[in-house]
Amino acid sequence: MKRYLSAQRPLLDDSQFRRTEQLCRTFESGLGKELHARLLAQDKQNRHTSYISGPWFDMYLSARDSIVLNFNPFISFNPDPKPDYNDQLTRATNLTMSALRFMKTLRAGLLEPEVFHLNPAKSDTDTFKRLIRLVPPALAWYGAYMVNAYPLDMSQYFRLFNSTRLPQPGRDELFTDEKEKHLLVLRNGNFYVFDVLDKDGNILKAAEVHAHLKYVLSDSSPTPEFPLAYLATENRDTWAGLRQELLNNGNKETLGKVDSAVFCLCLDDFPITDLVHLSHTMLHGDGINRWFDKSFSLIVAKDGNAAINFEHSWGDGVAVLRVFNEMFKDSTQTPAITPQAQPTPVDSSRAVQKLHFRLNETLKAGIAKAKEKFDSSMQTLTIDSVQFHRGGKEFLKKHKLSPDAVAQLSFQMAFLRQYGQTVATYESCSTAAFRHGRTETVRPASVFTKKCSEAFVREPSKNSTDQLKEMIAQCSKYHGQLTREAAMGQGFDRHLFALRYLAAAEGHKLPELYQDPAYGQINHNILSTSTLASPAVNIGGFAPVVPDGFGVGYRIHEDWIGCNVSSYPARNVREFLQCVNKSLGDIFDVLEGKPVRS
């Protein structure tokens, strides 16, 4: 409750805050206390999992909105450092082979564990790895803990491959079939499958995969009149009904091939023109050449620009970023083929099967309607990006500041400058340090960021450079505390979510705390933010989570900071990014001992 009230303080006036404080006290000593005791008991009985895992799956799978924009994000790869390897066919073959190698390593139980190293000099070493191998599995966690290394939960990883989200009325299902050996390839809205594993489960020779992809790229079939892929962009209940219609109309086997494919490879027939075009292409595309329900899709444009778009219910960024990083490293350091390589002379016309779907009038009308809705939704989304080149991680760490805290402070300052207020802000934080952990929310809008933002934006001349520096330092310290708490399961968002879920499951009337407008407001996240740290990432992005919000993807490099932001018509992205740029400039000025420029 204390943490919840601390996050509410900068968002409420005094009278609103007093009301919320009273509701918290009542909840804490009454129904909240009872629900918490039952949650603890439930948790004790279910040692095999996390208290948040079930409710979180329910939250995602019961959502009826289209998963496009509302849930699926994208992460784009940096180009291959060897320019000639960015040819579409070469890159698609190499990334596919690297994904398959990752899958085989994972399934053989040979993938290096995901570990968070607090003291990498001690634990991220060959000596430590050799020693920890000798420790019995039941004790290995304690051995790692002694040197400040925390093994992370990897239970989501099995859903990376041969998996899809199946639309069902009311609540979707996750489906996985690890026996299947084929890859799904989309091009021009046409669906193709071919085996990438042989009968013994060994990966096909790269030259054969190369040949089959070359065959798909040489197919001159036009885009179907009714592209099936639009259906996966629909409202989930609508799509569930249309999927049943597909099954009733003789498409069971064909749909089964789509659902069980190792993953989905989307080959686009156009090059990428700039970062904005890249974001739109990888986040949503034209709806024709994507299958958004697959656990992940690898998208490769005509010029070799590549990205992963992933369905979010089955897992979080940690699992996807791991396969992403391994694919990039493997495909660039030990590529399966060279640009000069010749495909094996195999009969791809027999190996590659083009899927045909039987469509009746109901399905054709459903596709036409889905296309109409998709096109009008995508037109409302604006994406833009900015790169701040005056410094990054290195400069900020030299000033003993958390780079993430400074980036988040710049978003608070920018929003205040543009709209004159402090609003609910969400930063995602992994809780993979726990078994079946998902995410927790860091609440970057605090009394410290509000005070600091107001000092910079409203009265820069009233405070000395040293005073402003001190405010930045306070923001950094508090943000660091919030991040540590969230990572260690000590945030308030998931706990309150679980108590509400439990109250509903037990048939209680919704507790007053949750009916408080302040609770609704703090969960209406106008600034939804997420960052990725990886040398393999070019940019990542996602849509806003509310109609009047911003979706802020950002990356802090050693010597620059990049932001990729989306919005709907209610907000102005370009202006927001100008304000972010100005805010970062002001912060850097102060850190360099210069006065803030008006």
Side-chain angles (χ1 to χ4, degrees), residues 370-559:
K371 172 184 166 33
E372 198 182 304
K373 279 164 78 171
F374 177 87
D375 289 346
S376 67
S377 300
M378 298 316 122
Q379 280 166 13
T380 65
L381 185 77
T382 305
I383 305 177
D384 210 342
S385 62
V386 74
Q387 294 179 356
F388 178 81
H389 283 284
R390 274 181 59 188
K393 208 177 284 183
E394 194 185 341
F395 175 85
L396 295 168
K397 283 188 169 174
K398 212 178 278 178
H399 286 271
K400 297 187 169 52
L401 295 170
S402 149
D404 189 62
V406 170
Q408 287 289 346
L409 174 60
S410 76
F411 306 147
Q412 294 300 315
M413 283 167 63
F415 199 89
L416 184 74
R417 187 180 299 279
Q418 189 179 6
Y419 296 105
Q421 60 182 140
T422 295
V423 290
T425 307
Y426 179 108
E427 180 182 1
S428 182
C429 176
S430 171
T431 48
F434 298 90
R435 179 180 293 162
H436 295 184
R438 293 293 306 241
T439 59
E440 180 53 274
T441 310
V442 178
R443 291 289 180 177
S446 67
V447 288
F448 299 103
T449 59
K450 187 174 186 175
K451 182 183 169 190
C452 187
S453 299
E454 287 177 346
F456 269 87
V457 173
R458 295 193 170 142
E459 42 193 26
S461 56
K462 268 194 187 172
N463 296 280
S464 69
T465 306
D466 284 344
Q467 285 171 317
L468 292 171
K469 264 189 201 170
E470 179 53 33
M471 286 184 206
I472 297 168
Q474 278 180 332
C475 292
S476 175
K477 187 181 171 190
Y478 188 64
H479 186 77
Q481 180 192 323
L482 291 178
T483 307
R484 282 190 301 277
E485 287 173 355
M488 295 316 292
Q490 295 293 311
F492 63 82
D493 278 88
R494 299 299 176 268
H495 188 185
L496 285 178
F497 177 87
L499 295 176
R500 179 181 183 169
Y501 181 90
L502 188 59
E506 293 186 348
H508 288 286
K509 183 172 154 282
L510 185 65
E512 265 196 282
L513 176 79
Y514 299 103
Q515 296 180 49
D516 180 13
Y519 182 81
Q521 181 181 280
I522 202 169
N523 287 290
H524 183 88
N525 292 299
I526 288 174
L527 286 173
S528 179
T529 73
S530 186
T531 185
L532 289 169
S534 161
V537 175
N538 178 3
I539 55 170
F542 51 93
V545 295
V546 292
D548 58 340
F550 286 115
V552 184
Y554 62 104
R555 258 201 79 195
I556 306 163
H557 303 255
E558 285 305 315
D559 56 355

Side-chain angles (χ1 to χ4, degrees), residues 210-448:
H210 188 197
H212 298 338
L213 291 179
K214 187 174 183 181
Y215 174 80
V216 171
L217 284 167
S218 65
D219 182 15
S220 56
S221 301
T223 302
E225 186 186 356
F226 294 95
L228 191 84
Y230 279 122
L231 294 181
T233 71
E234 254 291 6
N235 165 284
R236 302 307 291 177
D237 282 337
T238 307
W239 172 205
L242 289 164
R243 181 185 165 86
Q244 194 53 52
E245 187 73 27
L246 272 167
L247 294 170
N248 298 346
N249 211 44
N251 296 291
K252 186 179 178 183
E253 193 185 325
T254 322
L255 268 179
K257 287 203 162 94
V258 172
D259 298 336
S260 62
V262 173
F263 64 90
C264 176
L265 169 65
C266 308
L267 298 170
D268 285 348
D269 273 359
F270 52 85
I272 298 297
T273 53
D274 55 31
L275 285 178
V276 172
H277 183 223
L278 177 74
S279 292
H280 280 292
T281 300
M282 304 311 185
L283 183 60
H284 57 79
D286 58 8
I288 289 170
N289 210 44
R290 304 283 180 268
W291 194 253
F292 291 104
D293 283 357
K294 283 304 280 179
S295 56
F296 79 88
S297 295
L298 169 63
I299 305 162
V300 186
K302 190 77 176 165
D303 57 1
N305 260 299
I308 277 178
N309 179 297
F310 67 97
E311 197 281 308
H312 219 323
S313 65
W314 65 268
D316 303 303
V318 174
V320 177
L321 194 59
R322 176 68 186 270
V323 70
F324 182 96
N325 285 337
E326 300 281 6
M327 283 167 68
F328 182 78
K329 185 180 175 184
D330 188 66
S331 67
T332 54
Q333 293 181 6
T334 51
I337 62 161
T338 67
Q340 293 74 39
Q342 289 304 308
T344 298
V346 288
D347 186 359
S348 292
S349 64
R350 289 187 66 184
V352 179
Q353 181 194 354
K354 187 174 175 190
L355 301 182
H356 296 281
F357 297 91
R358 296 191 179 98
L359 303 179
N360 58 21
E361 291 310 308
T362 304
L363 288 163
K364 286 177 183 176
I367 291 169
K369 183 110 189 285
K371 172 184 166 33
E372 198 182 304
K373 279 164 78 171
F374 177 87
D375 289 346
S376 67
S377 300
M378 298 316 122
Q379 280 166 13
T380 65
L381 185 77
T382 305
I383 305 177
D384 210 342
S385 62
V386 74
Q387 294 179 356
F388 178 81
H389 283 284
R390 274 181 59 188
K393 208 177 284 183
E394 194 185 341
F395 175 85
L396 295 168
K397 283 188 169 174
K398 212 178 278 178
H399 286 271
K400 297 187 169 52
L401 295 170
S402 149
D404 189 62
V406 170
Q408 287 289 346
L409 174 60
S410 76
F411 306 147
Q412 294 300 315
M413 283 167 63
F415 199 89
L416 184 74
R417 187 180 299 279
Q418 189 179 6
Y419 296 105
Q421 60 182 140
T422 295
V423 290
T425 307
Y426 179 108
E427 180 182 1
S428 182
C429 176
S430 171
T431 48
F434 298 90
R435 179 180 293 162
H436 295 184
R438 293 293 306 241
T439 59
E440 180 53 274
T441 310
V442 178
R443 291 289 180 177
S446 67
V447 288
F448 299 103

Side-chain angles (χ1 to χ4, degrees), residues 75-311:
I75 315 170
S76 72
F77 290 95
N78 272 320
D80 192 304
K82 304 177 292 297
D84 51 342
Y85 278 74
N86 289 303
D87 159 74
Q88 185 181 30
L89 177 58
T90 306
R91 193 146 203 225
T93 305
N94 281 330
L95 285 169
T96 297
M97 292 302 293
S98 294
L100 295 171
R101 286 173 185 164
F102 178 91
M103 180 184 81
K104 288 289 287 178
T105 311
L106 170 68
R107 288 183 178 169
L110 297 170
L111 194 67
E112 190 173 313
E114 194 71 36
V115 179
F116 181 62
H117 298 275
L118 272 178
N119 188 352
K122 268 191 183 176
S123 57
D124 200 7
T125 64
D126 289 338
T127 311
F128 174 74
K129 287 171 190 173
R130 273 198 304 275
L131 287 171
I132 205 77
R133 272 189 205 116
L134 306 172
V135 180
L139 301 173
W141 190 89
Y142 297 97
Y145 178 73
M146 296 297 284
V147 289
N148 254 337
Y150 296 89
L152 301 180
D153 177 72
M154 295 174 74
S155 61
Q156 296 173 1
Y157 282 51
F158 84 99
R159 292 271 190 210
L160 275 164
F161 300 100
N162 297 97
S163 297
T164 200
R165 175 175 174 161
L166 300 178
Q168 300 289 339
R171 185 186 187 274
D172 292 354
E173 282 173 16
L174 292 174
F175 167 86
T176 303
D177 183 356
E178 292 186 1
K179 297 188 302 294
E180 291 299 334
K181 299 174 166 62
H182 59 279
L183 178 72
L184 171 67
V185 184
L186 265 65
R187 179 165 169 263
N188 273 335
N190 295 297
F191 288 62
Y192 308 82
V193 291
F194 62 83
D195 283 351
V196 284
L197 302 173
D198 66 19
K199 64 182 192 311
D200 301 316
N202 298 310
I203 301 172
L204 232 59
K205 287 192 180 81
E208 287 184 54
V209 173
H210 188 197
H212 298 338
L213 291 179
K214 187 174 183 181
Y215 174 80
V216 171
L217 284 167
S218 65
D219 182 15
S220 56
S221 301
T223 302
E225 186 186 356
F226 294 95
L228 191 84
Y230 279 122
L231 294 181
T233 71
E234 254 291 6
N235 165 284
R236 302 307 291 177
D237 282 337
T238 307
W239 172 205
L242 289 164
R243 181 185 165 86
Q244 194 53 52
E245 187 73 27
L246 272 167
L247 294 170
N248 298 346
N249 211 44
N251 296 291
K252 186 179 178 183
E253 193 185 325
T254 322
L255 268 179
K257 287 203 162 94
V258 172
D259 298 336
S260 62
V262 173
F263 64 90
C264 176
L265 169 65
C266 308
L267 298 170
D268 285 348
D269 273 359
F270 52 85
I272 298 297
T273 53
D274 55 31
L275 285 178
V276 172
H277 183 223
L278 177 74
S279 292
H280 280 292
T281 300
M282 304 311 185
L283 183 60
H284 57 79
D286 58 8
I288 289 170
N289 210 44
R290 304 283 180 268
W291 194 253
F292 291 104
D293 283 357
K294 283 304 280 179
S295 56
F296 79 88
S297 295
L298 169 63
I299 305 162
V300 186
K302 190 77 176 165
D303 57 1
N305 260 299
I308 277 178
N309 179 297
F310 67 97
E311 197 281 308

